[in-house]
Amino acid sequence: MSSTDTAAAGVFSEPVRRVEGGWIALFAAAWLGVWMAQLTPVQLLLPVQIEQRLGAASWVENVVAFGVISGIAGVAAFVAFPVTGLLSDRTTSRFGRRRPWIAGGAAVFAVSLLLLGLQESFVGIGIFWTLSIVGFCVLTAALTATISDRVPVEQRGFVSGWISAPQAIGTILGLVLVLTLFTGQFGGYAAVAVLLVVLVAPFLLFGRDQVLTREAARRIPRGRLLDELWISPRRYPDFGWTLLGRVLVNTGNALGTTLLLYFLMYGLDDENAEDDLLVLTLVYMVFVVISSLGAGALSDRLGRRRVFVFVSSTLQAVAALLLAFVPELSVAMIAAGLLGAGYGCFLSVDQALATQVLPDPATRGKDLGIMNIATAVPQALAPLLGAAVVAWLGGFQGLFILSALFAFGGALAVARIRSVR
């Protein structure tokens, strides 16, 4: 074996050395910053900004406007995730393959959020939210790939839990900060932008990254970019089933959660809808944190992934059916717990599962970038789809039934995977 082959084998081989608690802490902190910067605008800042600029009389019009902007950003994410992953796979910087993209993505994300906070026009909001999502994609495509680069298979469930647990914590923490300390449109965006940089920086400074030599790097043949991005589900069926399951489950979860405030206000005629939404969110997030860390660690110990993903998808479907057929606040609390438990388990274990069905160790970033599409794009399109379903069917029951069907479909897709237990 030549020295070039030896260097490439070292970079592309499966990691066997367990990562330490310090690395996991830096990794979790980076994701906390990422989720605060992405979800706080989605949950609060962006809808309020759009509503103030649009001045629509109907909540459906506001949701449709939000959905259009989210949909445009979703199209950008569809391209940015795999392309960024592909380029990071081939990056030969002396700082490593992933770190330049993590740094660049964080910078684009943070600056775009700051400029978004200054926008007064609908077009400006759309442009800078799309740029923010592009930065988010660049950052997270590289950050996700570090799991396959650094974490051994038997530790990936637990480490993946530190992607999803910060998601739950970041949502609540971001909302509390912008509602209490950093009020106002620009203040809210500026706060999450600064926290993004502060929390990602330690991982950049102290998280090690392997360096790929120019000789070992694969070049992209001229005019063959689309061919490089394509992964045949016929040739790699387990990758295809995992991707399909992730699309379906994330779509179902997004449909079940995106319009909860409007469900409380107009479906349950709840006079304290905003306060009750906060309680539902807290219940949901507590179960997400417990389930993601607990299920991830247990799946590592048992060496099993599919059963966890199957059960978690089914739990989300059951929660959606409860909301559809027993539309009461007390039942919604139970459904929030089930949905959080199911989604937390899914987030951590499915992420670990995804790393075990990748076609080629030399293209981990690109392949996981494609997997990330199945998480980000459904969340971006769900507000528009959900509002259309509610308007078409004249109520929320059909929305939650559709959410359950997507989740059940995801469970069936995961059951078809053969190469992972």
Side-chain angles (χ1 to χ4, degrees):
M1 180 181 292
S2 67
S3 59
T4 297
D5 292 336
T6 302
V11 173
F12 300 139
S13 62
E14 284 289 335
V16 294
R17 183 179 178 182
R18 293 174 66 87
V19 292
E20 299 176 349
W23 187 91
I24 296 174
L26 295 175
F27 183 73
W31 279 106
L32 179 62
V34 168
W35 290 129
M36 273 197 289
Q38 196 254 348
L39 294 175
T40 306
V42 169
Q43 294 290 332
L44 179 64
L45 295 172
L46 191 60
V48 170
Q49 188 178 15
I50 291 171
E51 185 176 350
Q52 290 174 346
R53 301 297 170 266
L54 191 63
S58 167
W59 70 269
V60 175
E61 292 179 50
N62 288 322
V63 173
V64 168
F66 177 62
V68 169
I69 287 180
S70 295
I72 294 170
V75 173
F78 189 87
V79 177
F81 267 131
V83 170
T84 298
L86 177 68
L87 294 174
S88 75
D89 286 331
R90 291 158 168 77
T91 296
T92 57
S93 165
R94 64 188 180 91
F95 298 106
R97 289 191 296 166
R98 314 299 182 192
R99 278 201 286 187
W101 296 95
I102 293 173
V108 171
F109 195 3
V111 171
S112 298
L113 287 172
L114 288 171
L115 294 174
L116 178 60
L118 298 173
Q119 299 310 303
E120 299 293 336
S121 71
F122 196 69
V123 173
I125 293 170
I127 290 172
F128 286 102
W129 177 242
T130 300
L131 289 175
S132 297
I133 290 301
V134 169
F136 166 80
C137 294
V138 173
L139 165 58
T140 56
L143 197 57
T144 304
T146 61
I147 296 179
S148 294
D149 294 342
R150 293 292 313 278
V151 183
V153 170
E154 65 273 11
Q155 204 179 6
R156 286 181 188 169
F158 178 69
V159 172
S160 296
W162 288 105
I163 296 178
S164 47
Q167 179 175 347
I169 298 168
T171 302
I172 295 295
L173 185 56
L175 290 175
V176 170
L177 287 174
V178 300
L179 286 172
T180 58
L181 296 178
F182 304 98
T183 57
Q185 178 177 298
F186 180 75
Y189 281 115
V192 294
V194 170
L195 286 170
L196 168 68
V197 174
V198 168
L199 291 169
V200 170
F203 185 81
L204 280 171
L205 294 173
F206 303 110
R208 290 180 297 173
D209 191 8
Q210 294 172 309
V211 174
L212 181 66
T213 64
R214 292 184 181 275
E215 294 76 19
R218 292 187 183 179
R219 295 189 177 7
I220 302 173
R222 182 174 297 178
R224 297 289 300 276
L225 177 62
L226 291 180
D227 292 337
E228 288 289 308
L229 293 173
W230 170 249
I231 298 176
S232 170
R234 187 181 297 276
R235 185 177 179 185
Y236 302 104
D238 284 353
F239 183 92
W241 288 119
T242 303
L243 181 64
L244 177 60
R246 183 174 281 203
V247 169
L248 293 173
V249 171
N250 279 294
T251 301
N253 181 271
L255 288 174
T257 57
T258 301
L259 302 183
L260 267 181
L261 175 60
Y262 299 109
F263 168 67
L264 294 174
M265 293 172 64
Y266 303 105
L268 300 184
D269 295 321
D270 186 353
E271 296 180 355
N272 301 308
E274 293 186 3
D275 292 337
D276 289 333
L277 176 65
L278 182 59
V279 174
L280 285 174
T281 303
L282 284 170
V283 171
Y284 172 78
M285 294 305 179
V286 166
F287 277 91
V288 166
V289 172
I290 295 172
S291 177
S292 60
L293 296 177
L298 184 59
S299 74
D300 285 339
R301 178 167 296 186
L302 298 178
R304 303 182 72 91
R305 310 290 190 201
R306 279 189 307 162
V307 65
F308 284 88
V309 178
F310 183 89
V311 170
S312 68
S313 305
T314 304
L315 271 180
Q316 293 177 76
V318 171
L321 290 176
L322 282 175
L323 292 171
F325 293 107
V326 193
E328 299 175 4
L329 183 60
S330 58
V331 175
M333 296 291 179
I334 297 172
L338 291 175
L339 194 64
Y343 197 51
C345 175
F346 178 83
L347 285 171
S348 59
V349 182
D350 186 71
Q351 181 63 46
L353 172 65
T355 65
Q356 293 178 243
V357 296
L358 302 181
D360 187 345
T363 59
R364 292 167 180 154
K366 180 261 294 183
D367 299 339
L368 286 172
I370 293 173
M371 284 289 183
N372 286 339
I373 291 173
T375 300
V377 174
Q379 291 174 349
L381 298 179
L384 184 59
L385 177 59
V389 170
V390 172
W392 179 45
L393 298 178
F396 291 88
Q397 185 180 61
L399 175 70
F400 293 126
I401 291 174
L402 185 63
S403 171
L405 290 175
F406 272 106
F408 275 130
L412 295 177
V414 170
R416 301 294 302 271
I417 297 170
R418 293 290 177 263
S419 62
V420 181
R421 294 177 60 200

